[in-house]
C-alpha cells in the first residue's frame, strides 16, 4: 500500500475520532439507542464536533476518489503521497479549528483542503510535463 492509501484510512479514522470522544465524555447524556438525538448536541462543543464529523464524512469521498484516480492513472506517486499527507494535516487543523470555534480560519483550511483534493484529482493531466 502507498502512503496516500494510508492517508485515506487516516481520513476515516480522523472523522470517527472527531465524534467518538464527545460521545464518550458525554456518556451520562448520550443514549446509544438514539445516536442522532438532537438534544445531545445542544451543547456548543458537541454541536461543533458533530459539524466537524459530518464535514469529514462529506470530504472523504472526493479525497478517496482523487487519490485512487491519480494512482490508477499513473500520476507521480511521490506527489500523490505528499499532497495526501498535506490534506490529512489540513483536515486535522480543520477539526481543531472547528471544535475550537475559529470559523474564519476553519473556512480557510476547508478551502486549502479542497484545493489539495483538486490538485490530486488533476495530477494525471500533468504527469507528462513533470520531470519526476
Amino acid at each position: 500500500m502507498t502512503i496516500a492509501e494510508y492517508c485515506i484510512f487516516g481520513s476515516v479514522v480522523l472523522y470517527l475520532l472527531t465524534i467518538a470522544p464527545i460521545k464518550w465524555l458525554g456518556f451520562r447524556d448520550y443514549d446509544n439507542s438514539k445516536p442522532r438525538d438532537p438534544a445531545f448536541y445542544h451543547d456548543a462543543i458537541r454541536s461543533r464536533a458533530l459539524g466537524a464529523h459530518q464535514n469529514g464524512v462529506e470530504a472523504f469521498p472526493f479525497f478517496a476518489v482523487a487519490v485512487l484516480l491519480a494512482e490508477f492513472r499513473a500520476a507521480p506517486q511521490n506527489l500523490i503521497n505528499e499532497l495526501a499527507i498535506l490534506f490529512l494535516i489540513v483536515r486535522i487543523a480543520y477539526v481543531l479549528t472547528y471544535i475550537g470555534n475559529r470559523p474564519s480560519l476553519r473556512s480557510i483550511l476547508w478551502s486549502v483542503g479542497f484545493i489539495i483534493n483538486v490538485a490530486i484529482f488533476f495530477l494525471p493531466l500533468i504527469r507528462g510535463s513533470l520531470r519526476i
Side-chain angles (χ1 to χ4, degrees):
M1 288 183 61
T2 66
I3 292 171
E5 290 163 358
Y6 284 114
C7 288
I8 292 172
F9 179 72
S11 181
V12 172
V13 170
L14 177 61
Y15 79 68
L16 292 175
L17 288 178
T18 301
I19 198 69
I22 297 300
K23 290 180 179 182
W24 185 79
L25 290 171
F27 72 94
R28 293 185 194 275
D29 300 324
Y30 182 72
D31 182 357
N32 199 40
S33 66
K34 297 185 283 182
R36 291 183 172 85
D37 183 12
F40 179 76
Y41 299 102
H42 281 174
D43 176 75
I45 291 177
R46 290 178 188 172
S47 176
R48 290 192 302 270
L50 177 63
H53 168 74
Q54 290 171 335
N55 187 267
V57 172
E58 294 163 359
F60 174 74
F62 183 36
F63 175 61
V65 167
V67 167
L68 295 176
L69 176 71
E71 289 184 340
F72 293 159
R73 296 294 179 190
Q77 188 63 52
N78 61 333
L79 283 178
I80 299 169
N81 292 341
E82 291 167 0
L83 289 171
I85 291 168
L86 185 58
F87 175 78
L88 200 52
I89 291 168
V90 167
R91 285 303 300 181
I92 291 168
Y94 174 87
V95 167
L96 294 174
T97 57
Y98 205 130
I99 293 172
N101 198 22
R102 307 288 294 189
S104 297
L105 182 55
R106 181 187 83 215
S107 294
I108 291 168
L109 290 169
W110 184 91
S111 298
V112 169
F114 185 76
I115 290 167
I116 292 168
N117 272 341
V118 170
I120 295 170
F121 187 85
F122 285 109
L123 271 178
L125 289 177
I126 61 171
R127 75 170 180 252
S129 62
L130 296 174
R131 296 182 187 246
I132 299 173

